[in-house]
Amino acid sequence: MTTAYLVSTALMGMFVLAVLGWIGRSRGWYHYSPSTERVPLPPGDGLNERFNRLSGDPIALTVAFALLVVGAVGSVALYIGGPPEMRAAAGIAVALGGGLLLVGYLLFGIYLSATRRGHPRSLAVAESATVAGALFLVAVTLQLVG
């Protein structure tokens, strides 16, 4: 039974690599050269305008980063040196917060880079959803194999 799972996983892995290789060779992405000018988000609601303004403001970015660091360091300090009844909750909070931050950073980064390259919002959301689906498949595969 275990051998069948391992063979199935290996075959699916080779299939995924073949599809990724085919996609990589069939598109003209390797001819892409980034421009030095910053392309703003497409005009729309006030949220995009506010986000464009805040994403270019060094003080807003510094404050957001400082809040993230203080929250992460505080949670880890509570996990290490806090009372025993708080350690489990702090450990779960650190793991969930780190995972959500990583996945959110990745998916929002894909969305943001796609919209700034001129893709429509629907295509940018589709690209982010594709990456989220691939991450989910990787997580399920690791749970099944591990």
Side-chain angles (χ1 to χ4, degrees), residues 85-112:
E85 57 272 359
M86 293 295 290
R87 286 187 185 171
I92 292 171
V94 168
L96 283 176
L100 287 174
L101 188 65
L102 178 66
V103 170
Y105 179 77
L106 178 70
L107 297 180
F108 186 67
I110 290 169
Y111 172 80
L112 196 61

mmCIF file of all heavy atoms in Angstrom, residues 85-112:
data_model
loop_
_atom_site.group_PDB
_atom_site.id
_atom_site.type_symbol
_atom_site.label_atom_id
_atom_site.label_comp_id
_atom_site.label_asym_id
_atom_site.label_seq_id
_atom_site.Cartn_x
_atom_site.Cartn_y
_atom_site.Cartn_z
ATOM 1 N N GLU A 85 0.196 28.297 31.010
ATOM 2 C CA GLU A 85 -1.107 28.248 30.334
ATOM 3 C C GLU A 85 -1.155 29.150 29.101
ATOM 4 O O GLU A 85 -2.011 28.989 28.241
ATOM 5 C CB GLU A 85 -2.246 28.604 31.289
ATOM 6 C CG GLU A 85 -2.113 29.954 31.944
ATOM 7 C CD GLU A 85 -1.316 29.917 33.255
ATOM 8 O OE1 GLU A 85 -0.878 28.848 33.680
ATOM 9 O OE2 GLU A 85 -1.139 30.999 33.816
ATOM 10 N N MET A 86 -0.235 30.112 29.016
ATOM 11 C CA MET A 86 -0.198 31.004 27.861
ATOM 12 C C MET A 86 0.738 30.496 26.763
ATOM 13 O O MET A 86 0.669 30.969 25.638
ATOM 14 C CB MET A 86 0.242 32.402 28.286
ATOM 15 C CG MET A 86 -0.756 33.131 29.172
ATOM 16 S SD MET A 86 -2.286 33.475 28.324
ATOM 17 C CE MET A 86 -1.757 34.702 27.178
ATOM 18 N N ARG A 87 1.606 29.549 27.082
ATOM 19 C CA ARG A 87 2.597 29.093 26.104
ATOM 20 C C ARG A 87 1.953 28.415 24.910
ATOM 21 O O ARG A 87 2.354 28.648 23.763
ATOM 22 C CB ARG A 87 3.592 28.159 26.771
ATOM 23 C CG ARG A 87 4.551 28.885 27.649
ATOM 24 C CD ARG A 87 5.617 27.961 28.161
ATOM 25 N NE ARG A 87 6.461 28.700 29.100
ATOM 26 C CZ ARG A 87 7.370 28.142 29.835
ATOM 27 N NH1 ARG A 87 7.577 26.844 29.766
ATOM 28 N NH2 ARG A 87 8.093 28.874 30.650
ATOM 29 N N ALA A 88 0.974 27.572 25.154
ATOM 30 C CA ALA A 88 0.331 26.872 24.034
ATOM 31 C C ALA A 88 -0.383 27.862 23.114
ATOM 32 O O ALA A 88 -0.260 27.779 21.888
ATOM 33 C CB ALA A 88 -0.648 25.833 24.557
ATOM 34 N N ALA A 89 -1.101 28.795 23.698
ATOM 35 C CA ALA A 89 -1.817 29.786 22.886
ATOM 36 C C ALA A 89 -0.838 30.678 22.133
ATOM 37 O O ALA A 89 -1.061 31.003 20.961
ATOM 38 C CB ALA A 89 -2.724 30.629 23.773
ATOM 39 N N ALA A 90 0.260 31.065 22.785
ATOM 40 C CA ALA A 90 1.246 31.909 22.112
ATOM 41 C C ALA A 90 1.938 31.138 20.992
ATOM 42 O O ALA A 90 2.220 31.706 19.929
ATOM 43 C CB ALA A 90 2.267 32.433 23.116
ATOM 44 N N GLY A 91 2.205 29.857 21.208
ATOM 45 C CA GLY A 91 2.831 29.049 20.161
ATOM 46 C C GLY A 91 1.942 28.922 18.941
ATOM 47 O O GLY A 91 2.401 29.044 17.797
ATOM 48 N N ILE A 92 0.655 28.690 19.174
ATOM 49 C CA ILE A 92 -0.288 28.605 18.061
ATOM 50 C C ILE A 92 -0.402 29.954 17.355
ATOM 51 O O ILE A 92 -0.439 30.025 16.125
ATOM 52 C CB ILE A 92 -1.660 28.117 18.561
ATOM 53 C CG1 ILE A 92 -1.554 26.663 19.011
ATOM 54 C CG2 ILE A 92 -2.728 28.277 17.484
ATOM 55 C CD1 ILE A 92 -2.783 26.147 19.711
ATOM 56 N N ALA A 93 -0.419 31.034 18.137
ATOM 57 C CA ALA A 93 -0.506 32.374 17.535
ATOM 58 C C ALA A 93 0.716 32.683 16.687
ATOM 59 O O ALA A 93 0.595 33.255 15.598
ATOM 60 C CB ALA A 93 -0.680 33.413 18.633
ATOM 61 N N VAL A 94 1.894 32.308 17.175
ATOM 62 C CA VAL A 94 3.115 32.564 16.399
ATOM 63 C C VAL A 94 3.100 31.754 15.102
ATOM 64 O O VAL A 94 3.419 32.274 14.030
ATOM 65 C CB VAL A 94 4.373 32.232 17.244
ATOM 66 C CG1 VAL A 94 5.618 32.203 16.385
ATOM 67 C CG2 VAL A 94 4.536 33.242 18.362
ATOM 68 N N ALA A 95 2.719 30.479 15.186
ATOM 69 C CA ALA A 95 2.684 29.641 13.991
ATOM 70 C C ALA A 95 1.646 30.139 12.985
ATOM 71 O O ALA A 95 1.935 30.255 11.783
ATOM 72 C CB ALA A 95 2.398 28.199 14.381
ATOM 73 N N LEU A 96 0.437 30.441 13.460
ATOM 74 C CA LEU A 96 -0.606 30.931 12.556
ATOM 75 C C LEU A 96 -0.258 32.304 11.984
ATOM 76 O O LEU A 96 -0.456 32.552 10.796
ATOM 77 C CB LEU A 96 -1.946 30.999 13.279
ATOM 78 C CG LEU A 96 -2.668 29.675 13.484
ATOM 79 C CD1 LEU A 96 -3.938 29.895 14.296
ATOM 80 C CD2 LEU A 96 -2.990 29.031 12.163
ATOM 81 N N GLY A 97 0.251 33.190 12.845
ATOM 82 C CA GLY A 97 0.623 34.517 12.367
ATOM 83 C C GLY A 97 1.730 34.467 11.333
ATOM 84 O O GLY A 97 1.665 35.142 10.301
ATOM 85 N N GLY A 98 2.736 33.665 11.583
ATOM 86 C CA GLY A 98 3.825 33.537 10.617
ATOM 87 C C GLY A 98 3.358 32.937 9.302
ATOM 88 O O GLY A 98 3.733 33.401 8.219
ATOM 89 N N GLY A 99 2.524 31.900 9.393
ATOM 90 C CA GLY A 99 2.006 31.286 8.171
ATOM 91 C C GLY A 99 1.117 32.224 7.381
ATOM 92 O O GLY A 99 1.237 32.325 6.158
ATOM 93 N N LEU A 100 0.228 32.912 8.078
ATOM 94 C CA LEU A 100 -0.649 33.865 7.386
ATOM 95 C C LEU A 100 0.134 35.021 6.778
ATOM 96 O O LEU A 100 -0.172 35.484 5.682
ATOM 97 C CB LEU A 100 -1.713 34.397 8.347
ATOM 98 C CG LEU A 100 -2.816 33.424 8.717
ATOM 99 C CD1 LEU A 100 -3.723 34.031 9.791
ATOM 100 C CD2 LEU A 100 -3.622 33.048 7.493
ATOM 101 N N LEU A 101 1.148 35.477 7.496
ATOM 102 C CA LEU A 101 1.971 36.567 6.977
ATOM 103 C C LEU A 101 2.727 36.129 5.725
ATOM 104 O O LEU A 101 2.777 36.862 4.731
ATOM 105 C CB LEU A 101 2.946 37.034 8.061
ATOM 106 C CG LEU A 101 3.751 38.283 7.751
ATOM 107 C CD1 LEU A 101 2.823 39.484 7.638
ATOM 108 C CD2 LEU A 101 4.766 38.529 8.835
ATOM 109 N N LEU A 102 3.279 34.931 5.763
ATOM 110 C CA LEU A 102 4.018 34.423 4.608
ATOM 111 C C LEU A 102 3.105 34.227 3.406
ATOM 112 O O LEU A 102 3.408 34.689 2.303
ATOM 113 C CB LEU A 102 4.716 33.112 4.966
ATOM 114 C CG LEU A 102 5.497 32.435 3.847
ATOM 115 C CD1 LEU A 102 6.686 33.307 3.454
ATOM 116 C CD2 LEU A 102 5.950 31.076 4.270
ATOM 117 N N VAL A 103 1.978 33.577 3.607
ATOM 118 C CA VAL A 103 1.056 33.329 2.496
ATOM 119 C C VAL A 103 0.450 34.644 1.999
ATOM 120 O O VAL A 103 0.348 34.875 0.795
ATOM 121 C CB VAL A 103 -0.042 32.329 2.919
ATOM 122 C CG1 VAL A 103 -1.136 32.231 1.876
ATOM 123 C CG2 VAL A 103 0.575 30.962 3.161
ATOM 124 N N GLY A 104 0.066 35.527 2.921
ATOM 125 C CA GLY A 104 -0.476 36.820 2.509
ATOM 126 C C GLY A 104 0.534 37.658 1.747
ATOM 127 O O GLY A 104 0.208 38.287 0.737
ATOM 128 N N TYR A 105 1.766 37.647 2.219
ATOM 129 C CA TYR A 105 2.826 38.395 1.538
ATOM 130 C C TYR A 105 3.035 37.853 0.133
ATOM 131 O O TYR A 105 3.148 38.615 -0.833
ATOM 132 C CB TYR A 105 4.114 38.292 2.359
ATOM 133 C CG TYR A 105 5.290 39.004 1.770
ATOM 134 C CD1 TYR A 105 5.407 40.381 1.854
ATOM 135 C CD2 TYR A 105 6.291 38.301 1.124
ATOM 136 C CE1 TYR A 105 6.489 41.046 1.317
ATOM 137 C CE2 TYR A 105 7.375 38.952 0.582
ATOM 138 C CZ TYR A 105 7.477 40.319 0.681
ATOM 139 O OH TYR A 105 8.547 40.955 0.137
ATOM 140 N N LEU A 106 3.050 36.534 0.012
ATOM 141 C CA LEU A 106 3.256 35.921 -1.291
ATOM 142 C C LEU A 106 2.101 36.226 -2.235
ATOM 143 O O LEU A 106 2.309 36.693 -3.357
ATOM 144 C CB LEU A 106 3.426 34.410 -1.131
ATOM 145 C CG LEU A 106 3.593 33.618 -2.417
ATOM 146 C CD1 LEU A 106 4.945 33.922 -3.039
ATOM 147 C CD2 LEU A 106 3.454 32.151 -2.146
ATOM 148 N N LEU A 107 0.865 35.990 -1.776
ATOM 149 C CA LEU A 107 -0.280 36.176 -2.661
ATOM 150 C C LEU A 107 -0.518 37.647 -2.991
ATOM 151 O O LEU A 107 -0.809 38.000 -4.132
ATOM 152 C CB LEU A 107 -1.532 35.563 -2.037
ATOM 153 C CG LEU A 107 -1.471 34.046 -1.824
ATOM 154 C CD1 LEU A 107 -2.762 33.560 -1.199
ATOM 155 C CD2 LEU A 107 -1.178 33.334 -3.108
ATOM 156 N N PHE A 108 -0.386 38.525 -2.001
ATOM 157 C CA PHE A 108 -0.573 39.947 -2.284
ATOM 158 C C PHE A 108 0.567 40.481 -3.148
ATOM 159 O O PHE A 108 0.362 41.347 -3.998
ATOM 160 C CB PHE A 108 -0.682 40.744 -0.986
ATOM 161 C CG PHE A 108 -1.023 42.182 -1.211
ATOM 162 C CD1 PHE A 108 -2.258 42.533 -1.713
ATOM 163 C CD2 PHE A 108 -0.107 43.177 -0.951
ATOM 164 C CE1 PHE A 108 -2.580 43.861 -1.943
ATOM 165 C CE2 PHE A 108 -0.417 44.493 -1.177
ATOM 166 C CZ PHE A 108 -1.660 44.846 -1.679
ATOM 167 N N GLY A 109 1.764 39.952 -2.948
ATOM 168 C CA GLY A 109 2.892 40.361 -3.791
ATOM 169 C C GLY A 109 2.680 39.975 -5.241
ATOM 170 O O GLY A 109 3.007 40.737 -6.156
ATOM 171 N N ILE A 110 2.120 38.795 -5.460
ATOM 172 C CA ILE A 110 1.821 38.366 -6.832
ATOM 173 C C ILE A 110 0.760 39.276 -7.434
ATOM 174 O O ILE A 110 0.887 39.729 -8.576
ATOM 175 C CB ILE A 110 1.377 36.904 -6.844
ATOM 176 C CG1 ILE A 110 2.565 36.008 -6.509
ATOM 177 C CG2 ILE A 110 0.773 36.516 -8.182
ATOM 178 C CD1 ILE A 110 2.191 34.586 -6.243
ATOM 179 N N TYR A 111 -0.285 39.564 -6.663
ATOM 180 C CA TYR A 111 -1.348 40.447 -7.154
ATOM 181 C C TYR A 111 -0.794 41.836 -7.491
ATOM 182 O O TYR A 111 -1.060 42.391 -8.547
ATOM 183 C CB TYR A 111 -2.457 40.557 -6.109
ATOM 184 C CG TYR A 111 -3.494 41.593 -6.455
ATOM 185 C CD1 TYR A 111 -4.499 41.312 -7.368
ATOM 186 C CD2 TYR A 111 -3.457 42.861 -5.887
ATOM 187 C CE1 TYR A 111 -5.441 42.250 -7.704
ATOM 188 C CE2 TYR A 111 -4.396 43.812 -6.220
ATOM 189 C CZ TYR A 111 -5.388 43.500 -7.128
ATOM 190 O OH TYR A 111 -6.308 44.449 -7.468
ATOM 191 N N LEU A 112 0.003 42.363 -6.572
ATOM 192 C CA LEU A 112 0.527 43.708 -6.766
ATOM 193 C C LEU A 112 1.481 43.783 -7.951
ATOM 194 O O LEU A 112 1.411 44.711 -8.763
ATOM 195 C CB LEU A 112 1.233 44.168 -5.486
ATOM 196 C CG LEU A 112 1.520 45.642 -5.359
ATOM 197 C CD1 LEU A 112 0.230 46.425 -5.383
ATOM 198 C CD2 LEU A 112 2.263 45.908 -4.077
#
